[in-house]
Amino acid sequence: MKETILSFLKKLEKEHEVTILYACEAGSRAYGVETEKSDYDIRFIYISSLRRYLSMNPVKDTIDYKQGEWDIQGWDIQKALRLAQKSNPSLYEWTLSPIVYMQEEHLTDMLYNISQKEFSKRTLLAHYVNMTKRNLSAFEEKGHYSYLYQAFRSSLMTENLTRDGAPATILLQELIAGSTRFSEDDLKHVLELKYGEADDSFSLLLGKITACIAEAQKQESRLPHTKPDINEIQEWFYCQFGI
């Protein structure tokens, strides 16, 4: 499958006249909980020619492709670097993906270092807290267990962000291993609920998620509110065109 994915990414490069600098898996496969029916959620960062950046016409900053099991989205490098300055949670997760299809090593190292050392943990925590709340509300309204699963995952991310010295990860098994609130049984249960393989007993899990969010909100003010240095980002971009 990797060769098929690489071949398709090369096709996208030709069609859109871009160079892909980084491509990774997102979603359930990146979280380590995929099934045989799981989609391939591929995310990538690309760069265009200098001529296109200097054009009087606006540069399209995304590439999207969805068909069947493929859910593919790419960001132009300028879009990605601007979002890096804002500690974007999606970019944060891309840098932590355990499944990487393509990479320009210097960019990969720079983005990873920025996401780990300079992204605002306070901004990231606020995102995952709000994500949990939204999914809990959606679960309460619609009753779909996919929302409970998403609330569970974002709760684990909040717990990871508030633990001093915790290694950053998006793999659910690793997040569970470092958790003081959730267990392997909780992970198994929420996945069984999501895929319709368990009964509807979820009150204990719901209580743990609610307690996790309440604790995370107490911790928010103590987390650093940092911002990536624009100079390093800008210099890297200039170097791509020999400037």
Side-chain angles (χ1 to χ4, degrees):
M1 180 55 72
K2 182 176 180 180
E3 291 303 316
T4 301
I5 291 170
L6 288 174
S7 177
F8 190 78
L9 291 174
K10 290 295 183 183
K11 181 181 177 183
L12 286 178
E13 284 185 314
K14 290 181 179 179
E15 286 180 359
H16 295 274
E17 297 181 333
V18 300
T19 299
I20 294 176
L21 302 171
Y22 180 72
C24 69
E25 193 70 44
S28 61
R29 294 180 185 279
Y31 306 147
V33 292
E34 74 276 8
T35 69
E36 292 181 359
K37 297 180 179 179
S38 293
D39 291 341
Y40 287 87
D41 299 300
I42 300 165
R43 302 294 180 261
F44 65 91
I45 298 170
Y46 64 89
I47 193 168
S48 298
S49 66
L50 179 59
R51 184 181 180 87
R52 186 174 294 182
Y53 291 115
L54 296 177
S55 170
M56 298 299 290
N57 298 316
V59 176
K60 183 181 178 183
D61 60 6
T62 60
I63 295 173
D64 296 289
Y65 178 88
K66 289 186 179 182
Q67 184 174 325
E69 63 181 347
W70 303 97
D71 182 339
I72 303 175
Q73 184 180 77
W75 287 352
D76 179 83
I77 185 64
Q78 282 191 318
K79 177 184 178 75
L81 296 180
R82 288 185 182 119
L83 289 174
Q85 285 186 274
K86 299 178 180 179
S87 301
N88 180 266
S90 293
L91 189 59
Y92 176 74
E93 292 198 12
W94 295 5
T95 68
L96 293 173
S97 177
I99 305 174
V100 176
Y101 297 116
M102 298 173 68
Q103 62 179 323
E104 193 282 325
E105 190 172 352
H106 187 226
L107 172 66
T108 304
D109 290 344
M110 181 184 73
L111 285 179
Y112 178 79
N113 288 332
I114 288 174
S115 73
Q116 296 307 299
K117 298 175 182 178
E118 300 180 34
F119 268 29
S120 169
K121 283 195 171 184
R122 195 180 303 178
T123 296
L124 293 170
L125 183 67
H127 164 79
Y128 287 112
V129 166
N130 290 331
M131 182 178 176
T132 304
K133 289 180 177 179
R134 287 195 307 272
N135 279 288
L136 286 179
S137 294
F139 175 64
E140 183 178 344
E141 178 184 350
K142 301 178 181 179
H144 297 164
Y145 289 118
S146 59
Y147 294 116
L148 184 62
Y149 160 76
Q150 291 294 347
F152 175 77
R153 190 189 79 82
S154 52
S155 294
L156 284 170
M157 292 298 290
T158 65
E159 190 181 25
N160 181 261
L161 285 165
T162 56
R163 285 174 54 228
D164 292 329
T169 182
I170 57 173
L171 285 165
L172 294 192
Q173 290 284 355
E174 293 181 1
L175 290 167
I176 286 289
S179 176
T180 58
R181 191 179 302 275
F182 299 101
S183 67
E184 287 275 359
D185 287 340
D186 292 326
L187 175 59
K188 180 181 178 182
H189 188 205
V190 76
L191 291 174
E192 287 175 344
L193 288 169
K194 180 185 178 185
Y195 296 119
E197 299 171 355
D199 59 31
D200 59 357
S201 58
F202 54 80
S203 57
L204 181 60
L205 186 60
L206 205 58
K208 287 186 177 184
I209 293 173
T210 303
C212 183
I213 293 308
E215 179 61 29
Q217 288 178 301
K218 293 178 183 178
Q219 299 287 338
E220 187 174 334
S221 61
R222 77 171 182 83
L223 292 181
H225 187 44
T226 52
K227 188 174 182 179
D229 182 1
I230 182 60
N231 294 321
E232 181 184 0
I233 293 173
Q234 189 72 72
E235 283 302 316
W236 182 90
F237 183 69
Y238 286 158
C239 285
Q240 305 315 298
F241 304 102
I243 300 174

